Amino acid sequence: MTTQELLQGAKAAKSAAAALSTQEKNRLLLAMADSLVQHQADILAANDQDVEAARATIAPVMIDRLRLTGDRVAAMAQGLRAVADLPDPVGDVLSEITRPNGLVIRKVRVPMGVIAIIYESRPNVTADAAALALKSGNVCVLRGGKEAIHSNTAIVAALRAALRENGAPETLVNLVEDTTRASATQLMEARGLVDLLIPRGGAGLIRACVENAKVPCIETGTGICHVYVDRAADLDKAVAIVYNAKTSRPSVCNAEEVCLVHRDVAPVFLPRLKQALDEKHVELRLCPEAAAIIPGTPAGERDFDTEFLDYILAVKVVGSVEEAVAHIAAHSTGHSEAIVTQDRAAADAFCAGVDSAAVYVNASTRFTDGGEFGLGCEMGISTQKLGARGPMGLCELTSYKYIIEGDGQVR
Amino acid sequence: MTTQELLQGAKAAKSAAAALSTQEKNRLLLAMADSLVQHQADILAANDQDVEAARATIAPVMIDRLRLTGDRVAAMAQGLRAVADLPDPVGDVLSEITRPNGLVIRKVRVPMGVIAIIYESRPNVTADAAALALKSGNVCVLRGGKEAIHSNTAIVAALRAALRENGAPETLVNLVEDTTRASATQLMEARGLVDLLIPRGGAGLIRACVENAKVPCIETGTGICHVYVDRAADLDKAVAIVYNAKTSRPSVCNAEEVCLVHRDVAPVFLPRLKQALDEKHVELRLCPEAAAIIPGTPAGERDFDTEFLDYILAVKVVGSVEEAVAHIAAHSTGHSEAIVTQDRAAADAFCAGVDSAAVYVNASTRFTDGGEFGLGCEMGISTQKLGARGPMGLCELTSYKYIIEGDGQVR
């Protein structure tokens, strides 16, 4: 099947997806979970093929990401069951007014329609994205990376078997077979067929989608996150927060990349911070003023504009909250930033001034996550301001329409 | 000033715009209104220049759209005062939760930032768009058409005089001097500088923006709107609604372009409809089945996919609500559609099945409008599902951010 045929099939399934009741969706999700477990042998055999093929070209750490096991398949199934437990956002009445002319205008939450996801991540994204799309009444078009194509094909076959056996159209969940750049381009340009495109993966993929998409697209994930340690910071908390934001999982987008420190506390704070981070062998890239206080690598020109995703932290001394806010405005990707301070006015100025999806007072940037925000799940984290911003749960995969009831009104 | 310099200035003004209190914004809007009236002579003189230059190249009807008068300047000023009266959406707390770990997560409405508007309409859009952007805490970058450049320059000079005299940065309101295609392209590609791009104008402009934009963009305005007259329609209401939707203002996007009629009522309804529409000399483009009932032009291949914006109506006979919904899915631009019926089940099926911004039961599509929806104003009508959908008032020009208060929480 060509990608174009697949997209036509996806479009044709939109009304069926939107019409599913909450109960039907949950039944399908539970059946899909069971089907993954039942097809575990097929999935693991397909995954073996991918892993074998990848050995020649991919680093061992990536092989581990690609590899599935019985436990990982069980975890995918558990993920589907968790989505079944979440509330269904579709049909919520967001507002209702009666106009002087008698028209009743209701704003009702509806699915987006066809959501295309281009990803290069682990095969579990396949099941995860399919579940979130289905629960929010959407049809999904999944376009994974070529290194996982056998695994993804087997996973989608298992999901579709459950749909089929439960009388739902298989085309609710679609996997693009072509994993060349051509199919990604087709999705980006599929005006009238794709209602929303979500790229999930590295900065290069996301940039390519945002720049080339002719369909509505959400920019996700890149995070140059800052923690600003204010002059009025509780330094114990500051050390703990910076340590956590940098080292608890450096490879993720909500990890800290830059620490800004107020000049008044830098001489006390930086030695304490260095001592803590030395434990994890974090490399410090220091502005000249910080370098005069603690040892480290001098920061280069790009170090304040780099998502290291590693045990590396850029450090800069600033003279005020305003200077911190200005630095963030110039260098942040709009993901997550934190201030550590006991001063209410400083916290308020930071929260008002910083234009990022999530702004923290005295907490780690690592909390920017659908689960931690109480959304129960996550399709990604939006760093743009049109549409969803921050963690995208089920509601963030919906739109709305106006339904207007009249009795013959004309204008 | 180059467009790039102008965009840098706009970006630098974002925090000032976001920080304005409601009171300050209203004071500025009233001063801007007064300033338009005070500068009326300059504005009319500049407009004369535009009108003189346009005489050679532009049709008389377009000249009328371009021309300003004392009354029209007064109306622009009144428009600014009306925006001052609207509630300020910025700072609204959209939700607040406390997590088990003690984090308090508030979702707060914030401005988009820099909104660029590319338009080819009348010069009053300049004042109108500036007012809506300012009230919603945004900086605007206005890029009007070359035929109105002197008028737009004079209007922005008057608005900026009011900003200056009231101690606000002039760069809250920016007019792009370059009216060549190059400046439009620059706005479309201004990643990191433009937070939202809104095209207002003809289908060609909108398509160019949506296809080429690398910044978040909202597709607006194109409307192939349908009215479906069901077998259970009250035919008096049906005639009145189709007549109104087609003829009250055919040049606007919420006007009807296609009438679908159920086979059971077509023999009675179509002659009555024709009689009513003859009064306005509406040309009917008929499917073969309709043509067997009333005289008219045979519908050509493109007639069900054309935004006529004129006294032309395409008519098609269908056999069921489902067929009407399917026709709309295949041909609509997702703007506004209506069903005329006394049958609740048919109305519900239509509302559930039609995937457009506004779906009407027994009312004219002409109501899709910010004012008619109670928003008080309108920046345009979105026909996409990411971000705002339908009429865009002040709320629809905002985004949100999460502000998370902790006490040292780490993950």
Side-chain angles (χ1 to χ4, degrees):
Chain A
M1 183 183 289
T2 68
T3 304
Q4 211 58 31
E5 288 164 350
L6 178 145
L7 286 170
Q8 292 292 350
K11 180 178 178 175
K14 277 207 276 193
S15 54
L20 290 170
S21 70
T22 303
Q23 204 179 357
E24 287 170 311
K25 289 188 279 198
N26 292 346
R27 192 168 53 86
L28 293 174
L29 287 165
L30 297 177
M32 286 156 69
D34 291 343
S35 185
L36 283 180
V37 175
Q38 283 154 21
H39 289 78
Q40 179 180 310
D42 300 343
I43 294 170
L44 294 183
N47 184 248
D48 277 343
Q49 274 189 276
D50 285 332
V51 170
E52 275 312 307
R55 273 190 207 289
T57 54
I58 288 184
V61 57
M62 298 302 289
I63 296 281
D64 181 60
R65 291 182 151 219
L66 180 58
R67 188 189 302 284
L68 293 175
T69 61
D71 282 353
R72 286 183 178 180
V73 172
M76 282 199 281
Q78 206 43 49
L80 292 179
R81 295 187 188 106
V83 172
D85 281 341
L86 293 173
D88 182 350
V90 174
D92 285 355
V93 176
L94 303 174
S95 69
E96 176 170 335
I97 59 166
T98 302
R99 296 288 300 158
N101 59 10
L103 287 180
V104 177
I105 303 180
R106 278 182 301 140
K107 186 176 177 179
V108 181
R109 198 186 284 285
V110 298
M112 279 280 176
V114 172
I115 299 182
I117 302 122
I118 302 181
Y119 56 106
E120 35 188 34
S121 323
R122 290 167 283 203
N124 65 315
V125 171
T126 305
D128 198 24
L132 296 177
L134 179 67
K135 183 68 183 251
S136 51
N138 293 292
V139 176
C140 65
V141 173
L142 304 163
R143 196 283 200 181
K146 73 171 185 307
E147 68 288 352
I149 185 66
H150 296 101
S151 312
N152 289 339
T153 302
I155 291 166
V156 169
L159 300 178
R160 287 185 136 196
L163 292 172
R164 206 168 47 234
E165 286 158 17
N166 286 275
E170 286 187 339
T171 46
L172 296 177
V173 175
N174 305 280
L175 180 71
V176 177
E177 292 167 25
D178 173 11
T179 57
T180 67
R181 185 168 297 192
S183 70
T185 302
Q186 274 180 290
L187 297 185
M188 294 177 206
E189 298 186 349
R191 297 202 9 92
L193 296 170
V194 169
D195 295 289
L196 178 64
L197 173 65
I198 304 176
R200 289 182 64 168
L205 167 67
I206 291 163
R207 189 180 171 90
C209 284
V210 169
E211 298 211 339
N212 298 310
K214 298 181 179 185
V215 299
C217 176
I218 285 204
E219 182 168 4
T220 61
T222 314
I224 299 180
C225 301
H226 297 73
V227 177
Y228 164 60
V229 179
D230 187 46
R231 73 199 297 178
D234 175 325
L235 296 187
D236 290 339
K237 286 179 191 166
V239 171
I241 288 170
V242 174
Y243 178 86
N244 177 265
K246 180 68 259 179
T247 71
S248 60
R249 205 168 160 205
S251 64
V252 293
C253 60
N254 58 20
E256 177 189 9
E257 304 295 10
V258 180
C259 179
L260 304 172
V261 192
H262 192 285
R263 184 162 294 133
D264 291 358
V265 293
V268 178
F269 175 71
L270 287 178
R272 290 188 53 189
L273 180 67
K274 180 169 165 49
Q275 190 180 7
L277 294 178
D278 276 352
E279 197 184 289
K280 296 278 187 178
H281 308 290
V282 174
E283 180 188 344
L284 298 172
R285 306 259 172 105
L286 304 171
C287 77
E289 202 170 333
I293 300 169
I294 50 171
T297 315
E301 216 173 290
R302 299 291 309 149
D303 281 328
F304 292 100
D305 297 287
T306 301
E307 191 185 22
F308 299 116
L309 299 173
D310 202 347
Y311 290 94
I312 301 172
L313 181 69
V315 178
K316 184 181 164 73
V317 176
V318 296
S320 63
V321 183
E322 291 69 32
E323 200 184 322
V325 168
H327 178 94
I328 290 168
H331 301 276
S332 164
T333 52
H335 191 298
S336 301
E337 332 290 345
I339 182 173
V340 186
T341 190
Q342 299 299 110
D343 174 358
R344 189 69 250 169
D348 289 346
F350 189 85
C351 290
V354 170
D355 183 24
S356 294
V359 188
Y360 292 84
V361 179
N362 295 327
S364 170
T365 55
R366 290 274 292 108
F367 287 105
T368 305
D369 170 274
E372 295 293 334
F373 273 33
L375 307 180
C377 63
E378 177 186 298
M379 182 69 102
I381 293 172
S382 162
T383 54
Q384 73 178 38
K385 282 185 272 185
L386 180 64
R389 195 178 195 197
M392 298 171 67
L394 294 174
C395 282
E396 289 72 22
L397 300 177
T398 64
S399 177
Y400 55 86
K401 70 180 169 192
Y402 291 96
I403 296 179
I404 304 101
E405 297 268 350
D407 185 34
Q409 282 87 341
V410 296
R411 186 178 170 197
Chain B
M1 183 186 285
T2 67
T3 304
Q4 211 57 32
E5 288 164 351
L6 178 145
L7 286 170
Q8 291 291 350
K11 180 177 179 175
K14 277 207 279 193
S15 54
L20 290 170
S21 70
T22 304
Q23 205 180 358
E24 287 170 309
K25 289 189 277 198
N26 292 345
R27 192 169 53 84
L28 292 174
L29 287 165
L30 297 177
M32 286 157 71
D34 292 344
S35 185
L36 282 180
V37 174
Q38 283 154 21
H39 289 79
Q40 180 180 308
D42 301 344
I43 293 169
L44 295 183
N47 184 248
D48 278 344
Q49 276 189 276
D50 286 332
V51 170
E52 276 312 307
R55 272 191 207 287
T57 54
I58 288 183
V61 57
M62 297 302 288
I63 296 280
D64 181 62
R65 290 182 152 218
L66 181 58
R67 189 190 302 284
L68 293 175
T69 62
D71 282 355
R72 287 183 176 179
V73 172
M76 282 198 281
Q78 206 42 51
L80 292 179
R81 294 188 188 107
V83 173
D85 281 342
L86 293 173
D88 182 351
V90 175
D92 285 355
V93 177
L94 303 175
S95 69
E96 176 170 335
I97 58 165
T98 302
R99 297 287 301 159
N101 60 9
L103 286 180
V104 178
I105 303 181
R106 278 181 302 139
K107 186 175 177 180
V108 180
R109 198 187 283 286
V110 298
M112 280 279 177
V114 172
I115 300 183
I117 302 124
I118 303 182
Y119 56 108
E120 35 188 36
S121 324
R122 291 166 283 203
N124 65 315
V125 171
T126 304
D128 199 25
L132 297 177
L134 179 67
K135 183 67 183 251
S136 50
N138 292 293
V139 177
C140 65
V141 173
L142 304 163
R143 197 284 199 178
K146 72 170 184 308
E147 68 288 352
I149 185 66
H150 296 102
S151 312
N152 289 338
T153 302
I155 290 166
V156 168
L159 299 177
R160 288 185 135 197
L163 293 171
R164 206 168 48 234
E165 286 157 17
N166 286 275
E170 287 188 338
T171 46
L172 296 178
V173 176
N174 305 280
L175 180 71
V176 177
E177 292 166 24
D178 173 11
T179 57
T180 68
R181 184 168 297 191
S183 70
T185 302
Q186 274 180 289
L187 297 185
M188 293 177 207
E189 298 185 349
R191 298 205 6 97
L193 296 170
V194 168
D195 296 289
L196 178 64
L197 173 66
I198 304 176
R200 288 182 65 169
L205 167 67
I206 290 163
R207 190 181 171 89
C209 284
V210 169
E211 297 210 340
N212 297 310
K214 297 181 180 185
V215 300
C217 176
I218 285 204
E219 182 167 7
T220 62
T222 313
I224 299 181
C225 301
H226 297 72
V227 177
Y228 165 59
V229 179
D230 186 46
R231 72 199 298 177
D234 175 325
L235 295 187
D236 290 340
K237 285 179 190 165
V239 170
I241 287 170
V242 174
Y243 179 85
N244 176 265
K246 180 68 260 178
T247 71
S248 60
R249 206 170 159 202
S251 64
V252 294
C253 60
N254 58 21
E256 177 189 8
E257 304 294 10
V258 180
C259 179
L260 304 172
V261 192
H262 193 285
R263 185 161 293 132
D264 291 358
V265 292
V268 179
F269 174 72
L270 287 177
R272 291 189 53 190
L273 180 67
K274 180 170 166 47
Q275 190 182 6
L277 294 178
D278 276 352
E279 198 183 287
K280 297 279 187 178
H281 309 290
V282 174
E283 180 188 343
L284 298 173
R285 307 256 173 108
L286 305 171
C287 76
E289 200 169 337
I293 301 170
I294 50 171
T297 315
E301 215 174 290
R302 298 291 308 150
D303 281 328
F304 292 100
D305 297 286
T306 300
E307 191 185 22
F308 300 116
L309 299 173
D310 203 347
Y311 290 94
I312 302 171
L313 181 69
V315 178
K316 184 180 165 74
V317 175
V318 295
S320 63
V321 183
E322 291 67 34
E323 198 185 323
V325 168
H327 179 93
I328 290 168
H331 300 276
S332 163
T333 54
H335 192 297
S336 301
E337 332 291 344
I339 182 174
V340 186
T341 190
Q342 299 300 111
D343 174 359
R344 189 68 252 168
D348 289 345
F350 188 85
C351 289
V354 170
D355 183 24
S356 293
V359 187
Y360 292 84
V361 178
N362 295 326
S364 169
T365 55
R366 289 277 290 107
F367 287 106
T368 305
D369 170 275
E372 295 294 334
F373 272 34
L375 307 180
C377 64
E378 178 186 296
M379 182 69 102
I381 293 173
S382 163
T383 54
Q384 74 177 38
K385 282 184 272 186
L386 179 65
R389 195 177 195 197
M392 299 170 67
L394 294 173
C395 283
E396 288 73 21
L397 300 176
T398 65
S399 177
Y400 56 84
K401 69 180 170 193
Y402 290 96
I403 296 180
I404 304 100
E405 297 268 350
D407 186 34
Q409 281 87 344
V410 296
R411 186 178 171 195

